[in-house]
Amino acid sequence: MADVIRLLLVDDDALVRAGLSMMLDGVGGIAVVGEAGDGREALEAVDAHSPDVVLMDVQMPRVDGLTATKRVRARPHPPEVIMLTTFDTDENILHALRAGASGYLLKDTPPARIAEAVAKVAAGEPMLSPGVTRRLMERTVVQAGAYERARAALAVLTPREHEVAVAVGFGESNAEIAAALSMSVTTVKSHVSSILTKLGLDNRTQIALLAHDADLV
C-alpha cells in the first residue's frame, strides 16, 4: 500500500466525478479515496481522507476551486493539487499556480495523461497541459513591483541554488538539471527542497513563476 497514490476528486458535476473515478481508480497505482462537490466539501474531504493528490475543478458553488486550493495548500503536510477544468485562460492558470496548484489540465485531456499527471505531481513534479507553460510564460505580464520582489527573494539563494531555480524556471526535470549542472538527482532534489524552504514556496511551479517574474527565463 506504500506505493498507492491516494486521489480525491472535487467537481460539482456528479457525472464528471463518476467518470473520473471509473477511468482512474486502480490505474497506475491510483486509488480514488473520496469525492467532493465543491470547495468547502473539498476541505472536509482532505481532512477525512488524507489524499496525496486532489483533482480540483475551478468553477464550483459556495467555495471555488482556486480558493479551495489556496486553503488546502495552507494546511500542514498538504496534498498536491491539479486543476482539471474546461477553462484554460491565462488568468485562471496563473491564479491556480500562484495558489499552490502543481498542475493544470483540461477536462478533454486523455485519461492516460491525467493518470500520468497524478503520478508526476505525487512525485513532486509539476504537470501542465501541452503548451500551457510556454503560453503562460510568453503572455503573463509581470505585476508592478514583482520584478524587484522576485530578485530580492532569489538573492537569498546560494549560487548553486540560483542555477537550479533558473533551470526549474525553464521547465527542466530533476534528471535534466542534474545532467546540465553535473550533479546527482538526489542533490538536485535537495537543492529544490532548500529553495522551497528559503523562499516559502509550495512547489516547483511557484519557483518557475518567481524565476519568470525576475526575468530569468
Side-chain angles (χ1 to χ4, degrees):
M1 293 295 292
D3 295 328
V4 171
I5 301 171
R6 298 170 59 82
L7 179 65
L8 175 69
L9 304 176
V10 183
D11 197 294
D12 60 335
D13 189 329
L15 289 178
V16 170
R17 298 198 307 270
L20 288 170
S21 183
M22 289 179 60
M23 290 187 297
L24 298 175
D25 193 34
V27 175
I30 296 171
V32 176
V33 296
E35 299 181 9
D38 60 44
R40 184 181 300 176
E41 291 180 7
L43 301 175
E44 298 169 354
V46 166
D47 292 336
H49 301 292
S50 301
D52 301 305
V53 179
V54 179
L55 272 182
M56 182 88 72
D57 191 16
V58 172
Q59 292 196 344
M60 296 182 292
R62 297 202 296 176
V63 177
D64 64 74
L66 298 177
T67 301
T69 295
K70 189 172 183 177
R71 293 176 181 175
V72 164
R73 291 298 299 169
R75 276 164 157 68
H77 310 294
E80 302 294 339
V81 178
I82 299 174
M83 309 306 294
L84 187 65
T85 178
T86 56
F87 304 97
D88 66 341
T89 64
D90 294 345
E91 183 179 6
N92 272 344
I93 297 169
L94 182 60
H95 285 329
L97 299 182
R98 292 199 187 282
S102 295
Y104 195 104
L105 300 175
L106 300 181
K107 286 185 177 179
D108 61 0
T109 301
R113 187 162 179 82
I114 296 176
E116 176 190 359
V118 170
K120 277 198 168 187
V121 301
E125 297 280 353
M127 185 70 183
L128 302 175
S129 288
V132 166
T133 301
R134 181 180 298 277
R135 194 181 81 240
L136 179 65
M137 295 306 182
E138 287 176 350
R139 297 186 182 179
T140 298
V141 177
V142 178
Q143 298 175 347
Y147 173 83
E148 290 78 10
R149 290 193 297 271
R151 287 278 178 164
L154 293 171
V156 307
L157 303 180
T158 67
R160 204 56 160 166
E161 289 169 346
H162 193 276
E163 289 180 312
V164 171
V166 172
V168 170
F170 279 106
E172 297 180 7
S173 67
N174 287 340
E176 290 170 333
I177 297 172
L181 299 181
S182 300
M183 63 176 72
S184 69
V185 172
T186 299
T187 300
V188 173
K189 290 180 179 179
S190 178
H191 282 314
V192 170
S193 178
S194 178
I195 292 167
L196 292 173
T197 299
K198 286 184 176 181
L199 301 183
L201 303 177
D202 289 318
N203 53 48
R204 294 168 66 99
T205 306
Q206 290 183 335
I207 296 175
L209 289 172
L210 193 65
H212 170 260
D213 285 351
D215 198 25
L216 297 174
V217 296

